Amino acid sequence: MSDQQTTVMIVDDEEMVVTSIRSFLELETSHRVRTFTSPSDALDALAAEHVHVIVADYMMPGMDGITFLTATRELRPQAARILLTGYADRDNAIRAINEAGLYHYLQKPWDNEELKLIIRNGIERSQLFNELDARVAALEMANEELSEFRQKLIEAFL
């Protein structure tokens, strides 16, 4: 699957973190990268645009990463959600997996190549879920058409 027209959202209250990840991804990939230092601003933007991967810090003022990622699940259920944290906390990782549908948990400081691979795999996952949704919708439509056709056949022979 191609990097073309894929969007990655980075949300961290530290400007240095979002700048670092954005710079790396813009140099190493062709992803469109959107960065935010405010989770509420990121949610506003997410409501208006399609995003394949969302990377969020765990500790942010106003809204923690798990709460933010849980909210993104409502807006963009097919997006892969990655929690970035400086805290090695197994309980919060499990909570994030359960509440936010977390795709991956990554500790700071991160390895750029690992981050790039996780994002690439997250994009693939997101695209596969979108493709699956499209196929399910097509099957539901075909099923409706068959049901209507069946009803017309029954009415024609009665």
Side-chain angles (χ1 to χ4, degrees):
M1 297 201 179
S2 162
D3 285 349
Q4 294 296 336
Q5 298 177 352
T6 56
T7 302
V8 177
M9 177 180 278
I10 311 296
V11 184
D12 195 305
D13 60 311
E14 294 180 46
E15 184 67 41
M16 184 182 79
V17 171
V18 294
T19 300
S20 174
I21 295 173
R22 181 184 61 234
S23 297
F24 170 72
L25 291 176
E26 287 175 347
L27 285 171
E28 295 288 325
T29 71
S30 61
H31 307 309
R32 178 174 176 256
V33 181
R34 299 275 286 135
T35 60
F36 297 88
T37 55
S38 161
S40 59
D41 290 347
L43 285 174
D44 290 343
L46 194 60
E49 61 186 289
H50 184 77
V51 173
H52 295 84
V53 174
I54 303 164
V55 179
D57 185 27
Y58 172 66
M59 294 295 290
M60 296 182 285
M63 183 184 308
D64 70 44
I66 296 173
T67 303
F68 169 74
L69 289 171
T70 300
T72 69
R73 193 176 191 180
E74 294 296 316
L75 294 168
R76 298 288 174 223
Q78 306 307 359
R81 284 168 287 287
I82 299 168
L83 186 65
L84 184 63
T85 183
Y87 305 95
D89 185 345
R90 179 183 158 108
D91 290 338
N92 279 326
I94 292 169
R95 182 176 149 228
I97 289 167
N98 292 332
E99 290 179 21
L102 196 66
Y103 169 68
H104 209 284
Y105 186 87
L106 191 63
Q107 281 189 274
K108 291 179 183 177
W110 63 90
D111 175 77
N112 279 339
E113 291 304 315
E114 180 184 14
L115 178 62
K116 185 168 75 171
L117 177 64
I118 290 166
I119 287 173
R120 186 181 75 214
N121 290 342
I123 287 170
E124 234 177 76
R125 175 190 176 277
S126 177
Q127 290 172 329
L128 287 171
F129 273 120
N130 286 330
E131 185 178 319
L132 178 62
D133 284 349
R135 289 182 183 213
V136 166
L139 284 172
E140 288 172 347
M141 185 180 294
N143 192 33
E144 268 184 48
E145 290 172 359
L146 283 172
S147 182
E148 289 171 10
F149 183 70
R150 178 180 177 271
Q151 187 60 37
K152 287 178 183 177
L153 282 174
I154 290 172
E155 290 170 4
F157 288 105
L158 287 183

